[in-house]
Amino acid sequence: MDYTTTILTGFVALYIFMLAAFTGFEIIGRVPAILHTPLMSGSNFIHGIVVVGALWALLNASSLPEQIIGFLGVLLGAGNAAGGYVVTERMLQMFKPSTKTPKE
């Protein structure tokens, strides 16, 4: 048996997914509103890593269905990361002081 490879069965993958979802829900639910913008910046970084993983999957795809899934992964990951940066920028605009001149 080759010990350098790890085989994830469906049950183990489902367990990891459920554990990550529960942990993420508990952590995000306890974040104060003032920290949501820095948290969004951190999640945008993670979405960038997802795009790198999708690119790796696309470049190592050997069949047409694998290439389609890889392309969709890159497309959706890039869209998610770009949208996150747009939302973060809009949230940061809310905290900037107003430049309106006072009425005299």
Side-chain angles (χ1 to χ4, degrees):
M1 181 175 188
D2 185 8
Y3 291 103
T4 59
T5 61
T6 303
I7 298 173
L8 270 170
T9 63
F11 289 116
V12 174
L14 180 63
Y15 174 75
I16 291 171
F17 176 76
M18 289 173 44
L19 185 62
F22 176 74
T23 304
F25 178 76
E26 287 298 316
I27 290 173
I28 299 299
R30 297 169 196 259
V31 172
I34 194 72
L35 295 178
H36 277 249
T37 301
L39 188 63
M40 284 285 295
S41 297
S43 68
N44 290 337
F45 171 72
I46 293 171
H47 292 151
I49 295 172
V50 169
V51 172
V52 171
L55 276 170
W56 181 84
L58 177 61
L59 293 174
N60 290 311
S62 58
S63 68
L64 183 61
E66 292 173 353
Q67 291 173 350
I68 291 171
I69 291 172
F71 176 75
L72 287 175
V74 171
L75 185 69
L76 294 174
N80 199 5
Y85 282 113
V86 169
V87 169
T88 301
E89 183 62 31
R90 290 186 74 185
M91 289 176 69
L92 288 173
Q93 291 297 322
M94 294 186 330
F95 293 105
K96 288 186 178 179
S98 177
T99 57
K100 295 179 183 176
T101 56
K103 294 180 181 179
E104 292 183 31

Short mmCIF file of all heavy atoms in Angstrom, two decimals, residues 2-38:
data_model
loop_
_atom_site.label_atom_id
_atom_site.label_comp_id
_atom_site.label_asym_id
_atom_site.label_seq_id
_atom_site.Cartn_x
_atom_site.Cartn_y
_atom_site.Cartn_z
N ASP A 2 0.54 2.19 -0.83
CA ASP A 2 1.28 3.44 -0.94
C ASP A 2 0.71 4.44 0.07
O ASP A 2 -0.44 4.83 -0.01
CB ASP A 2 1.16 3.98 -2.37
CG ASP A 2 2.01 5.20 -2.59
OD1 ASP A 2 2.82 5.53 -1.70
OD2 ASP A 2 1.88 5.81 -3.65
N TYR A 3 1.54 4.85 1.03
CA TYR A 3 1.08 5.74 2.08
C TYR A 3 1.22 7.22 1.71
O TYR A 3 0.89 8.08 2.51
CB TYR A 3 1.84 5.47 3.38
CG TYR A 3 1.48 4.15 3.99
CD1 TYR A 3 2.32 3.06 3.88
CD2 TYR A 3 0.28 3.99 4.66
CE1 TYR A 3 1.99 1.84 4.42
CE2 TYR A 3 -0.07 2.77 5.21
CZ TYR A 3 0.79 1.70 5.10
OH TYR A 3 0.45 0.50 5.64
N THR A 4 1.71 7.52 0.52
CA THR A 4 1.87 8.92 0.13
C THR A 4 0.59 9.52 -0.39
O THR A 4 0.50 10.73 -0.52
CB THR A 4 2.98 9.06 -0.93
OG1 THR A 4 2.62 8.29 -2.07
CG2 THR A 4 4.32 8.61 -0.37
N THR A 5 -0.39 8.71 -0.72
CA THR A 5 -1.65 9.23 -1.22
C THR A 5 -2.72 9.10 -0.15
O THR A 5 -2.70 8.20 0.67
CB THR A 5 -2.11 8.48 -2.49
OG1 THR A 5 -2.29 7.11 -2.15
CG2 THR A 5 -1.10 8.63 -3.59
N THR A 6 -3.64 10.03 -0.17
CA THR A 6 -4.75 10.01 0.77
C THR A 6 -6.03 9.83 -0.02
O THR A 6 -6.27 10.54 -0.99
CB THR A 6 -4.82 11.34 1.55
OG1 THR A 6 -3.58 11.53 2.21
CG2 THR A 6 -5.95 11.31 2.56
N ILE A 7 -6.83 8.89 0.42
CA ILE A 7 -8.09 8.63 -0.25
C ILE A 7 -9.21 9.16 0.63
O ILE A 7 -9.34 8.79 1.79
CB ILE A 7 -8.28 7.12 -0.50
CG1 ILE A 7 -7.16 6.61 -1.41
CG2 ILE A 7 -9.64 6.85 -1.10
CD1 ILE A 7 -7.16 5.11 -1.57
N LEU A 8 -9.99 10.09 0.08
CA LEU A 8 -11.14 10.64 0.79
C LEU A 8 -12.39 9.92 0.31
O LEU A 8 -12.75 10.03 -0.85
CB LEU A 8 -11.28 12.13 0.51
CG LEU A 8 -10.56 13.06 1.43
CD1 LEU A 8 -10.59 14.48 0.89
CD2 LEU A 8 -11.16 13.04 2.80
N THR A 9 -13.01 9.21 1.19
CA THR A 9 -14.27 8.59 0.83
C THR A 9 -15.37 9.63 0.91
O THR A 9 -15.18 10.73 1.44
CB THR A 9 -14.60 7.42 1.77
OG1 THR A 9 -14.75 7.93 3.09
CG2 THR A 9 -13.50 6.37 1.74
N GLY A 10 -16.52 9.31 0.39
CA GLY A 10 -17.64 10.24 0.40
C GLY A 10 -18.06 10.63 1.80
O GLY A 10 -18.38 11.78 2.07
N PHE A 11 -18.04 9.68 2.73
CA PHE A 11 -18.44 9.98 4.10
C PHE A 11 -17.45 10.90 4.79
O PHE A 11 -17.85 11.81 5.52
CB PHE A 11 -18.61 8.68 4.90
CG PHE A 11 -19.81 7.89 4.48
CD1 PHE A 11 -19.65 6.64 3.93
CD2 PHE A 11 -21.08 8.41 4.63
CE1 PHE A 11 -20.75 5.91 3.53
CE2 PHE A 11 -22.19 7.68 4.24
CZ PHE A 11 -22.03 6.42 3.68
N VAL A 12 -16.18 10.69 4.57
CA VAL A 12 -15.16 11.56 5.18
C VAL A 12 -15.28 12.97 4.60
O VAL A 12 -15.21 13.96 5.33
CB VAL A 12 -13.75 10.98 4.97
CG1 VAL A 12 -12.69 11.95 5.46
CG2 VAL A 12 -13.62 9.65 5.68
N ALA A 13 -15.47 13.08 3.29
CA ALA A 13 -15.61 14.40 2.66
C ALA A 13 -16.86 15.10 3.18
O ALA A 13 -16.84 16.30 3.46
CB ALA A 13 -15.67 14.25 1.14
N LEU A 14 -17.97 14.37 3.33
CA LEU A 14 -19.20 14.96 3.86
C LEU A 14 -19.00 15.40 5.30
O LEU A 14 -19.46 16.48 5.70
CB LEU A 14 -20.35 13.95 3.76
CG LEU A 14 -21.70 14.43 4.27
CD1 LEU A 14 -22.19 15.60 3.43
CD2 LEU A 14 -22.70 13.29 4.23
N TYR A 15 -18.30 14.60 6.09
CA TYR A 15 -18.02 14.95 7.49
C TYR A 15 -17.19 16.23 7.57
O TYR A 15 -17.50 17.13 8.36
CB TYR A 15 -17.29 13.79 8.18
CG TYR A 15 -16.84 14.11 9.57
CD1 TYR A 15 -17.75 14.17 10.62
CD2 TYR A 15 -15.50 14.37 9.85
CE1 TYR A 15 -17.35 14.48 11.90
CE2 TYR A 15 -15.09 14.67 11.13
CZ TYR A 15 -16.02 14.72 12.15
OH TYR A 15 -15.61 15.03 13.41
N ILE A 16 -16.16 16.33 6.74
CA ILE A 16 -15.31 17.53 6.74
C ILE A 16 -16.12 18.75 6.31
O ILE A 16 -16.01 19.83 6.91
CB ILE A 16 -14.08 17.33 5.83
CG1 ILE A 16 -13.15 16.29 6.46
CG2 ILE A 16 -13.35 18.64 5.60
CD1 ILE A 16 -12.02 15.86 5.56
N PHE A 17 -16.97 18.60 5.30
CA PHE A 17 -17.80 19.70 4.83
C PHE A 17 -18.76 20.17 5.92
O PHE A 17 -18.90 21.37 6.17
CB PHE A 17 -18.57 19.29 3.58
CG PHE A 17 -19.52 20.35 3.10
CD1 PHE A 17 -19.05 21.46 2.43
CD2 PHE A 17 -20.88 20.23 3.35
CE1 PHE A 17 -19.93 22.44 1.99
CE2 PHE A 17 -21.76 21.21 2.92
CZ PHE A 17 -21.28 22.31 2.24
N MET A 18 -19.42 19.21 6.58
CA MET A 18 -20.36 19.57 7.64
C MET A 18 -19.65 20.23 8.82
O MET A 18 -20.16 21.20 9.39
CB MET A 18 -21.14 18.33 8.10
CG MET A 18 -22.13 17.84 7.07
SD MET A 18 -22.93 16.29 7.46
CE MET A 18 -23.35 16.44 9.15
N LEU A 19 -18.49 19.73 9.18
CA LEU A 19 -17.73 20.33 10.27
C LEU A 19 -17.29 21.75 9.92
O LEU A 19 -17.39 22.67 10.75
CB LEU A 19 -16.51 19.46 10.58
CG LEU A 19 -15.66 19.86 11.78
CD1 LEU A 19 -16.49 19.80 13.06
CD2 LEU A 19 -14.46 18.94 11.89
N ALA A 20 -16.83 21.95 8.69
CA ALA A 20 -16.42 23.29 8.26
C ALA A 20 -17.61 24.25 8.22
O ALA A 20 -17.49 25.42 8.61
CB ALA A 20 -15.75 23.22 6.89
N ALA A 21 -18.76 23.77 7.73
CA ALA A 21 -19.95 24.63 7.67
C ALA A 21 -20.40 25.03 9.07
O ALA A 21 -20.70 26.21 9.32
CB ALA A 21 -21.07 23.91 6.94
N PHE A 22 -20.44 24.10 10.00
CA PHE A 22 -20.85 24.40 11.37
C PHE A 22 -19.86 25.36 12.03
O PHE A 22 -20.27 26.35 12.67
CB PHE A 22 -20.97 23.12 12.20
CG PHE A 22 -21.30 23.36 13.63
CD1 PHE A 22 -22.58 23.74 14.00
CD2 PHE A 22 -20.33 23.23 14.60
CE1 PHE A 22 -22.88 23.98 15.33
CE2 PHE A 22 -20.63 23.47 15.93
CZ PHE A 22 -21.91 23.85 16.30
N THR A 23 -18.58 25.10 11.87
CA THR A 23 -17.56 25.96 12.47
C THR A 23 -17.64 27.37 11.89
O THR A 23 -17.57 28.37 12.62
CB THR A 23 -16.16 25.37 12.25
OG1 THR A 23 -16.14 24.04 12.77
CG2 THR A 23 -15.09 26.20 12.91
N GLY A 24 -17.76 27.46 10.57
CA GLY A 24 -17.88 28.77 9.93
C GLY A 24 -19.10 29.54 10.40
O GLY A 24 -19.04 30.74 10.66
N PHE A 25 -20.23 28.85 10.52
CA PHE A 25 -21.46 29.49 10.98
C PHE A 25 -21.29 30.02 12.40
O PHE A 25 -21.69 31.14 12.71
CB PHE A 25 -22.63 28.50 10.92
CG PHE A 25 -23.92 29.07 11.41
CD1 PHE A 25 -24.65 29.94 10.63
CD2 PHE A 25 -24.39 28.74 12.67
CE1 PHE A 25 -25.83 30.48 11.09
CE2 PHE A 25 -25.57 29.27 13.14
CZ PHE A 25 -26.30 30.14 12.35
N GLU A 26 -20.70 29.23 13.27
CA GLU A 26 -20.50 29.65 14.65
C GLU A 26 -19.53 30.83 14.75
O GLU A 26 -19.75 31.76 15.52
CB GLU A 26 -19.97 28.48 15.50
CG GLU A 26 -21.02 27.44 15.78
CD GLU A 26 -22.18 27.99 16.59
OE1 GLU A 26 -21.94 28.73 17.57
OE2 GLU A 26 -23.33 27.69 16.23
N ILE A 27 -18.47 30.80 13.96
CA ILE A 27 -17.48 31.89 14.03
C ILE A 27 -18.05 33.18 13.44
O ILE A 27 -17.95 34.25 14.05
CB ILE A 27 -16.18 31.48 13.30
CG1 ILE A 27 -15.48 30.39 14.11
CG2 ILE A 27 -15.27 32.68 13.09
CD1 ILE A 27 -14.29 29.79 13.42
N ILE A 28 -18.67 33.10 12.28
CA ILE A 28 -19.20 34.30 11.63
C ILE A 28 -20.35 34.89 12.43
O ILE A 28 -20.51 36.11 12.51
CB ILE A 28 -19.66 33.98 10.19
CG1 ILE A 28 -18.50 33.49 9.35
CG2 ILE A 28 -20.31 35.18 9.52
CD1 ILE A 28 -17.38 34.47 9.18
N GLY A 29 -21.15 34.04 13.06
CA GLY A 29 -22.28 34.54 13.84
C GLY A 29 -21.86 35.34 15.06
O GLY A 29 -22.64 36.14 15.58
N ARG A 30 -20.64 35.18 15.52
CA ARG A 30 -20.18 35.88 16.71
C ARG A 30 -19.32 37.11 16.39
O ARG A 30 -18.77 37.74 17.29
CB ARG A 30 -19.38 34.93 17.60
CG ARG A 30 -20.23 33.79 18.10
CD ARG A 30 -19.39 32.72 18.74
NE ARG A 30 -20.14 31.49 18.88
CZ ARG A 30 -20.68 31.08 20.02
NH1 ARG A 30 -20.56 31.80 21.09
NH2 ARG A 30 -21.34 29.94 20.05
N VAL A 31 -19.18 37.46 15.13
CA VAL A 31 -18.36 38.60 14.74
C VAL A 31 -19.18 39.88 14.88
O VAL A 31 -20.28 39.97 14.35
CB VAL A 31 -17.87 38.43 13.29
CG1 VAL A 31 -17.17 39.69 12.80
CG2 VAL A 31 -16.96 37.25 13.17
N PRO A 32 -18.66 40.89 15.59
CA PRO A 32 -19.38 42.16 15.68
C PRO A 32 -19.46 42.85 14.31
O PRO A 32 -18.63 42.62 13.43
CB PRO A 32 -18.54 43.00 16.64
CG PRO A 32 -17.48 42.13 17.16
CD PRO A 32 -17.44 40.88 16.36
N ALA A 33 -20.45 43.70 14.15
CA ALA A 33 -20.69 44.35 12.86
C ALA A 33 -19.50 45.18 12.39
O ALA A 33 -19.24 45.28 11.20
CB ALA A 33 -21.94 45.21 12.93
N ILE A 34 -18.76 45.77 13.32
CA ILE A 34 -17.63 46.63 12.94
C ILE A 34 -16.50 45.83 12.30
O ILE A 34 -15.68 46.38 11.55
CB ILE A 34 -17.12 47.43 14.16
CG1 ILE A 34 -16.19 48.56 13.74
CG2 ILE A 34 -16.43 46.53 15.15
CD1 ILE A 34 -16.89 49.69 13.07
N LEU A 35 -16.44 44.53 12.53
CA LEU A 35 -15.36 43.71 11.99
C LEU A 35 -15.73 43.01 10.68
O LEU A 35 -14.93 42.26 10.14
CB LEU A 35 -14.93 42.66 13.01
CG LEU A 35 -14.31 43.20 14.28
CD1 LEU A 35 -13.97 42.06 15.23
CD2 LEU A 35 -13.07 44.01 13.97
N HIS A 36 -16.92 43.25 10.17
CA HIS A 36 -17.32 42.54 8.95
C HIS A 36 -16.49 42.94 7.73
O HIS A 36 -16.21 42.11 6.89
CB HIS A 36 -18.81 42.75 8.68
CG HIS A 36 -19.65 41.81 9.46
ND1 HIS A 36 -20.37 40.81 8.87
CD2 HIS A 36 -19.87 41.70 10.79
CE1 HIS A 36 -21.00 40.12 9.79
NE2 HIS A 36 -20.72 40.64 10.97
N THR A 37 -16.07 44.20 7.64
CA THR A 37 -15.27 44.62 6.49
C THR A 37 -13.90 43.95 6.47
O THR A 37 -13.51 43.40 5.44
CB THR A 37 -15.13 46.15 6.46
OG1 THR A 37 -16.44 46.71 6.37
CG2 THR A 37 -14.33 46.60 5.26
N PRO A 38 -13.15 43.91 7.58
CA PRO A 38 -11.89 43.16 7.54
C PRO A 38 -12.10 41.67 7.30
O PRO A 38 -11.30 41.02 6.64
CB PRO A 38 -11.28 43.39 8.93
CG PRO A 38 -11.94 44.60 9.45
CD PRO A 38 -13.29 44.66 8.83
#
